[in-house]
Amino acid sequence: MADMKETIKSVSIDLFFKKGYFATSISDIAKGSGIQKASIYYHYASKEDLLFHILKSTMDDLTTCLKKSLEAVEGIEQRMRAAVQSHVRFHLERQKENFIANSELRGITAEHYRTIVKKRDAYEVIFQDLIRVGAEEGIFADVDVKILSYAILTLCTAGATWYKSNGRLTVAQIADIYENFIISGLKQGSLS
Amino acid sequence: MADMKETIKSVSIDLFFKKGYFATSISDIAKGSGIQKASIYYHYASKEDLLFHILKSTMDDLTTCLKKSLEAVEGIEQRMRAAVQSHVRFHLERQKENFIANSELRGITAEHYRTIVKKRDAYEVIFQDLIRVGAEEGIFADVDVKILSYAILTLCTAGATWYKSNGRLTVAQIADIYENFIISGLKQGSLS
DNA sequence: GTCTATAGAGTGATAGAC
DNA sequence: GTCTATCACTCTATAGAC
């Protein structure tokens, strides 16, 4: 109970993941946090503000994580492999937040929505550039950049829907499976 | 206004797609249908009953569509290609229902949930069998059947999130892109 | 920083008239 | 088959005490 603001956020992530944003009440969050519901409003301006905080920090951390993963990697194929690894791992390791980030965008105001979508677009562009340059260099097949970038991202994001941390496969194993599948799909039979 | 029961269902699909199940009220549905909210309950027992009707018919039609697409097709690779085409097309052509089917499962009762998941599992098994047999026959690489089946299905389902019917690509073009990407990913560089 | 109390609106659902 | 009226409840959010 060190930091109540963080406790509330953490409890909210659990509840939004399990029940959904609209199905979760401020009362539920208060109960989970061990305080009265009025006290929530000392830490967050509104329920929407709380959701926005979760979405924003998740998107920021996701982007930071990707950029860090690409820092020292050279060559388009290796960079794409690193990008996929980063994306998959982040989504599995912070499963709940990522699930919320992908399913509760309708819960935020129009202005906040624009902020999040802008961040998401910038993230997508990094993948799109990798696909485009890879195709230009002949490493990848001549594919539709937009569609393939959505495909790759959704594919990896999907893990956040069904992944169980005590399941059959580790995060590293799942990331490897996706990495190989995606690289093969991008090459479409052309030589490496 | 021919059949009010169908009108209510159709209006609900639009609203659940746009705002989400929990964010949509019976009052909203009544307004959209041009009747009073009490009249909804003549046609459907509850709001949850309405959602379940939508989910159930979507899943049934999806499965029917797949089985029909596979009827006369021979050879594992061709069958997988046909299955992917069927899955993508159905998801793009009935975008709203499919989006709801993939995002509002938390809105139904435990018993109804089991009914839907059972249908979904049976659908997934068709894809898993194709991957498994394909790998046994050496047509596909020796991949993880479960993970790859989830990957393939989510990939195609994703279209329902971003697809716009007046967009740059037709349903047929998108289906072809996915088909090639997936088959390449399944083969992983091995010969056809 | 957390509490009790409550405002004010909206919710799903039902009763009974027509 | 649709209506009006209403029940019983829950919701987000605020006021003001401590």
Side-chain angles (χ1 to χ4, degrees), chain B residues 50 99 180:
Chain B
L50 181 47
F99 181 82
N180 288 327

Side-chain angles (χ1 to χ4, degrees), chain B residues 101-114:
Chain B
N102 282 288
S103 56
E104 301 293 3
L105 277 167
R106 288 178 300 202
I108 50 174
T109 63
E111 194 190 350
H112 283 162
Y113 180 79
R114 278 191 294 275

Side-chain angles (χ1 to χ4, degrees), chain B:
Chain B
M1 205 80 74
D3 184 345
M4 184 51 73
K5 185 162 183 172
E6 278 305 309
T7 302
I8 292 168
K9 189 176 169 183
S10 166
V11 167
S12 300
I13 290 171
D14 279 357
L15 289 171
F16 292 169
F17 176 71
K18 192 161 45 169
K19 306 173 55 174
Y21 172 71
F22 286 105
T24 301
S25 69
I26 291 288
S27 204
D28 294 332
I29 298 168
K31 219 165 286 171
S33 305
I35 49 170
Q36 293 301 309
K37 62 179 179 173
S39 307
I40 303 278
Y41 293 91
Y42 174 79
H43 300 283
Y44 295 94
S46 65
K47 190 184 170 189
E48 190 268 347
D49 181 47
L50 181 47
L51 174 62
F52 178 63
H53 265 74
I54 294 169
L55 299 185
K56 190 173 165 297
S57 62
T58 304
M59 273 311 302
D60 285 342
D61 292 352
L62 175 67
T63 305
T64 305
C65 183
L66 176 64
K67 286 186 176 161
K68 211 168 169 181
S69 299
L70 289 175
E71 253 171 16
V73 184
E74 304 221 357
I76 290 294
E77 179 174 335
Q78 290 308 314
R79 286 177 71 77
M80 178 56 90
R81 286 183 186 272
V84 170
Q85 285 277 342
S86 168
H87 188 77
V88 177
R89 284 163 188 268
F90 188 85
H91 275 77
L92 297 189
E93 278 158 11
R94 292 173 63 175
Q95 182 185 22
K96 293 176 188 175
E97 287 162 87
N98 282 298
F99 181 82
I100 297 166
N102 282 288
S103 56
E104 301 293 3
L105 277 167
R106 288 178 300 202
I108 50 174
T109 63
E111 194 190 350
H112 283 162
Y113 180 79
R114 278 191 294 275
T115 306
I116 298 294
V117 168
K118 221 166 147 182
K119 287 177 190 292
R120 196 184 60 185
D121 286 349
Y123 184 80
E124 286 173 1
V125 164
I126 299 174
F127 280 83
Q128 287 163 2
D129 284 348
L130 286 173
I131 299 172
R132 191 175 38 74
V133 175
E136 283 166 10
E137 292 185 1
I139 294 166
F140 300 145
D142 186 27
V143 293
D144 188 282
V145 173
K146 280 238 168 180
I147 303 290
L148 263 289
S149 69
Y150 294 160
I152 291 168
L153 293 174
T154 324
L155 196 53
C156 306
T157 305
T161 313
W162 51 260
Y163 174 68
K164 281 174 180 49
S165 56
N166 57 351
R168 180 170 55 92
L169 298 171
T170 64
V171 170
Q173 286 173 316
I174 296 171
D176 286 348
I177 292 171
Y178 280 144
E179 181 193 321
N180 288 327
F181 181 74
I182 288 168
I183 294 293
S184 300
L186 282 169
K187 290 187 176 177
Q188 309 226 339
S190 62
L191 301 171
S192 66

Side-chain angles (χ1 to χ4, degrees), chain A residues 117-182:
Chain A
V117 168
K118 221 166 146 181
K119 286 176 190 292
R120 197 184 59 186
D121 286 349
Y123 184 79
E124 285 174 0
V125 164
I126 299 174
F127 280 82
Q128 287 164 2
D129 284 348
L130 286 173
I131 298 172
R132 191 174 39 74
V133 174
E136 283 167 10
E137 292 185 2
I139 294 166
F140 300 145
D142 187 26
V143 293
D144 187 282
V145 173
K146 280 238 168 180
I147 303 291
L148 264 288
S149 70
Y150 294 161
I152 292 168
L153 292 174
T154 326
L155 194 54
C156 305
T157 305
T161 314
W162 53 258
Y163 173 68
K164 280 175 180 51
S165 56
N166 57 350
R168 180 170 57 93
L169 298 170
T170 64
V171 170
Q173 286 174 317
I174 296 170
D176 286 348
I177 292 171
Y178 281 146
E179 181 193 320
N180 287 327
F181 181 74
I182 287 169

Side-chain angles (χ1 to χ4, degrees), chain A residues 4 35-36 38-39 42-43:
Chain A
M4 184 50 75
I35 50 170
Q36 292 301 310
S39 308
Y42 174 80
H43 300 283

Side-chain angles (χ1 to χ4, degrees), chain A residues 13-175:
Chain A
I13 289 171
D14 280 359
L15 289 170
F16 292 169
F17 176 71
K18 192 162 46 172
K19 306 174 58 175
Y21 173 71
F22 286 104
T24 302
S25 69
I26 292 287
S27 203
D28 293 332
I29 298 167
K31 219 166 284 171
S33 305
I35 50 170
Q36 292 301 310
K37 61 182 178 172
S39 308
I40 302 277
Y41 293 91
Y42 174 80
H43 300 283
Y44 295 94
S46 65
K47 190 184 171 189
E48 191 268 348
D49 181 47
L50 182 46
L51 176 61
F52 178 63
H53 265 75
I54 294 170
L55 299 185
K56 189 173 166 298
S57 63
T58 305
M59 273 310 303
D60 285 341
D61 293 352
L62 175 66
T63 305
T64 304
C65 183
L66 176 63
K67 288 188 175 161
K68 211 167 168 180
S69 298
L70 289 175
E71 254 171 16
V73 184
E74 304 220 358
I76 290 295
E77 178 174 337
Q78 289 309 314
R79 285 178 72 77
M80 178 57 89
R81 285 183 186 271
V84 169
Q85 285 276 341
S86 168
H87 189 78
V88 176
R89 284 164 188 265
F90 188 85
H91 275 76
L92 297 190
E93 279 159 11
R94 293 172 62 175
Q95 182 185 23
K96 292 176 188 174
E97 288 162 87
N98 282 298
F99 181 82
I100 296 165
N102 282 287
S103 55
E104 301 293 4
L105 277 167
R106 288 178 300 201
I108 51 175
T109 63
E111 195 190 350
H112 283 162
Y113 180 79
R114 278 191 294 276
T115 305
I116 298 294
V117 168
K118 221 166 146 181
K119 286 176 190 292
R120 197 184 59 186
D121 286 349
Y123 184 79
E124 285 174 0
V125 164
I126 299 174
F127 280 82
Q128 287 164 2
D129 284 348
L130 286 173
I131 298 172
R132 191 174 39 74
V133 174
E136 283 167 10
E137 292 185 2
I139 294 166
F140 300 145
D142 187 26
V143 293
D144 187 282
V145 173
K146 280 238 168 180
I147 303 291
L148 264 288
S149 70
Y150 294 161
I152 292 168
L153 292 174
T154 326
L155 194 54
C156 305
T157 305
T161 314
W162 53 258
Y163 173 68
K164 280 175 180 51
S165 56
N166 57 350
R168 180 170 57 93
L169 298 170
T170 64
V171 170
Q173 286 174 317
I174 296 170

